[in-house]
Amino acid sequence: MAGCVMIVEGKTDKERLLRVLAEPVTILCTYGSYSLEKGEKLLAQTEAADADEVYLFTDEDDSGKKLRTHLSEDFPDAIHLHTPKMYREVADTPLFVLAEILEQAGFAVIVPHPDLGER
C-alpha cells in the first residue's frame, strides 16, 4: 500500500506490527496520549508521508478507545483496525492474529505459524 500511514499508541505496538508487515508502512506513535499539539504534529507527519490512506490501530481498552475518538476527529476518513477484545492491547495480540487483521485490511503480511510461538 503506497502512501499509507498507520497511527498506533506506542513503540511496542509499532514494533509488533513491523514484525508481520511485508511492505513498507509509515507507523506513527501517539505514545498513549493526545493533545492539540500532538494532533497537529500527526497531521503534519501524515501529510509529509504523502499518505493516501490513514489507519488507526489503538488498543481495545478505555484509554485506547478514548484516543481513537480524538484521532477520529483529526482523521475523519481514517480506516479503523481493531484487535480482538480478548487481547485488549495491540502489543498483547499474537502475531498471527495481527497478520490476519492486517491482511483483511489489504496489507501484505508475513504470517507466522501460530504453533511456533512468538519469535
Side-chain angles (χ1 to χ4, degrees):
M1 290 187 171
C4 171
V5 168
M6 189 176 302
I7 301 173
V8 299
E9 289 184 62
K11 183 180 173 186
T12 306
D13 298 340
K14 178 180 178 175
E15 290 169 351
R16 284 191 67 78
L17 292 169
L18 288 173
R19 290 177 64 187
V20 295
L21 284 164
E23 62 182 287
V25 175
T26 300
I27 301 179
L28 306 175
C29 299
T30 67
Y31 299 104
S33 63
Y34 182 83
S35 66
L36 182 59
E37 293 170 354
K38 190 170 282 189
E40 290 173 358
K41 182 178 178 181
L42 288 170
L43 282 167
Q45 290 174 308
T46 301
E47 289 173 9
D50 198 25
D52 296 329
E53 293 182 316
V54 175
Y55 291 80
L56 304 179
F57 203 168
T58 61
D59 295 341
E60 287 297 317
D61 56 13
D62 290 339
S63 61
K65 290 176 183 179
K66 185 176 178 181
L67 178 60
R68 184 183 296 271
T69 300
H70 289 298
L71 291 170
S72 294
E73 293 173 6
D74 287 336
F75 300 95
D77 297 325
I79 299 163
H80 296 254
L81 301 177
H82 299 271
T83 194
K85 289 182 183 182
M86 64 189 292
Y87 300 116
R88 294 184 45 94
E89 297 181 10
V90 174
D92 291 336
T93 304
L95 294 175
F96 74 94
V97 174
L98 291 175
E100 288 174 2
I101 294 165
L102 294 170
E103 188 173 43
Q104 288 176 0
F107 290 92
V109 297
I110 301 163
V111 182
H113 194 281
D115 295 333
L116 297 179
E118 300 285 313
R119 294 190 179 158

